[in-house]
Amino acid sequence: MASINTNASAMTALQTLNTISKNMATTQSRISTGLRVAEASDNAAYWSIATSMKSDNKALSSVQDALGLGAGKLDTAYTGINEVIETVDKIKQKLVSARGASQEDQQKIQTEVEALQDHIVSVVGNSNYAGSNMLQDGTDVNVVASYNRTGTTVSVDQITITGADVQVLSEDGTTGIVSAIAADGWFDASGGAIADTAVDTMLGAVETALASLSEQASVLGAAKSRVDLQKDFVSKLSDAIDRGVGQLVDADMNEESARLSALQVQQQLGVQALSIANQNTQSILSLFR
């Protein structure tokens, strides 16, 4: 039946065009944003998961910053303690040379030892990073190592370095592993030649200090290795989360490009179909001529 009031073909063509236009808008949005799930209405479950994981990844970025700061402190302290060990080794060599030496030679050695003592104090005082001096403060250092989520429960793990385990010399020089060795007048030949027994006592103090310094260097070295490993892991974890989020919400650009081309063809055909449907009503006029 031909009707001028109802054009079913045109209505069908128009509905098809509306659907095509809506699909084109969706596809164009995905191409412009690169996201298949850009908001909760696109896929509530995926959007919620992706939003939480993106937030966690921002927290991991802060963890990486904290690990970088911790690594800087540990690197500085580790470099400093190794320099102290080398300096104490040099004092040891000077003491061996002083054993049985003449008073004149011992006085020369004393000058050299005092210079090495000053160097120890300088090294410890300068082993400072971002306001923290692990070799001198004697306070615990906590390095944020990870951010963990279990359901709605979150926790932050830390790597703790006990300050007392790595303190080499206090600021006033009265405490610490090398406090006696770095003290003024520890090696004093001004009143005459130093007896071999006195030199042997000093050598014993140096050996004790070296043993303790080696343990402290091991503590710092182990902590440094752990922080470096954690930095590497957190970086890989952050990348893995990014990939996981991408799999949930990213658009496949090849697929979207192909879909857009198909929709453009469908739109052109839809416009032609609507034009043909409208022409059918015009043919009714010929019946009245």
Side-chain angles (χ1 to χ4, degrees):
M1 180 183 73
S3 171
I4 61 172
N5 293 321
T6 304
N7 189 338
S9 297
M11 293 172 62
T12 300
L14 186 59
Q15 289 176 354
T16 300
L17 270 176
N18 287 336
T19 300
I20 293 171
S21 296
K22 182 178 179 181
N23 289 338
M24 283 188 70
T26 299
T27 301
Q28 288 172 339
S29 174
R30 291 177 178 179
I31 291 174
S32 62
T33 63
L35 297 173
R36 177 170 57 91
V37 181
E39 52 189 30
S41 60
D42 294 330
N43 187 314
Y46 282 4
W47 181 86
S48 178
I49 294 171
T51 300
S52 296
M53 296 311 296
K54 286 178 181 178
S55 176
D56 287 353
N57 230 7
K58 291 177 182 178
L60 283 180
S61 178
S62 296
V63 170
Q64 286 181 298
D65 293 340
L67 284 168
L69 179 61
K73 292 179 180 179
L74 288 167
D75 283 342
T76 302
Y78 190 68
T79 300
I81 201 168
N82 281 326
E83 180 65 21
V84 170
I85 290 173
E86 290 179 6
T87 306
V88 174
D89 264 335
K90 292 177 182 178
I91 291 178
K92 176 181 175 179
Q93 294 171 20
K94 298 301 179 184
L95 288 175
V96 172
S97 299
R99 198 176 188 280
S102 66
Q103 180 178 348
E104 182 181 356
D105 287 341
Q106 286 184 346
Q107 288 176 344
K108 293 177 181 178
I109 292 171
Q110 176 185 347
T111 301
E112 294 175 329
V113 169
E114 287 174 349
L116 293 171
Q117 288 174 318
D118 291 341
H119 184 60
I120 290 174
V121 175
S122 176
V123 167
V124 173
N126 290 325
S127 297
N128 187 301
Y129 184 89
S132 175
N133 191 325
M134 299 179 68
L135 302 186
Q136 196 169 59
D137 293 343
T139 56
D140 295 350
V141 174
N142 297 311
V143 180
V144 175
S146 66
Y147 178 85
N148 309 309
R149 174 191 292 276
T150 304
T152 57
T153 303
V154 298
S155 62
V156 177
D157 292 337
Q158 294 181 329
I159 296 173
T160 300
I161 300 94
T162 304
D165 291 343
V166 297
Q167 185 181 24
V168 173
L169 184 67
S170 62
E171 188 171 354
D172 59 8
T174 59
T175 58
I177 297 302
V178 298
S179 57
I181 297 174
D184 292 335
W186 174 71
F187 183 79
D188 192 351
S190 59
I194 298 177
D196 288 345
T197 53
V199 173
D200 290 343
T201 299
M202 296 173 193
L203 283 170
V206 167
E207 290 294 349
T208 300
L210 284 172
S212 297
L213 287 168
S214 295
E215 291 179 5
Q216 290 176 316
S218 296
V219 171
L220 287 171
K224 180 177 179 295
S225 295
R226 185 180 174 192
V227 168
D228 288 342
L229 287 172
Q230 191 66 14
K231 281 177 60 182
D232 185 55
F233 168 71
V234 170
S235 177
K236 292 178 180 177
L237 180 61
S238 179
D239 290 344
I241 290 175
D242 279 339
R243 290 194 297 271
V245 170
Q247 290 173 355
L248 290 177
V249 302
D250 286 355
D252 184 331
M253 301 305 287
N254 290 331
E255 181 180 335
E256 298 303 331
S257 177
R259 181 179 289 114
L260 180 62
S261 296
L263 287 170
Q264 288 172 337
V265 173
Q266 291 175 26
Q267 187 180 53
Q268 292 172 3
L269 292 174
V271 170
Q272 283 188 332
L274 181 59
S275 177
I276 292 171
N278 288 331
Q279 287 175 1
N280 289 338
T281 59
Q282 295 296 321
S283 64
I284 296 176
L285 292 175
S286 64
L287 300 175
F288 300 95
R289 290 175 185 167

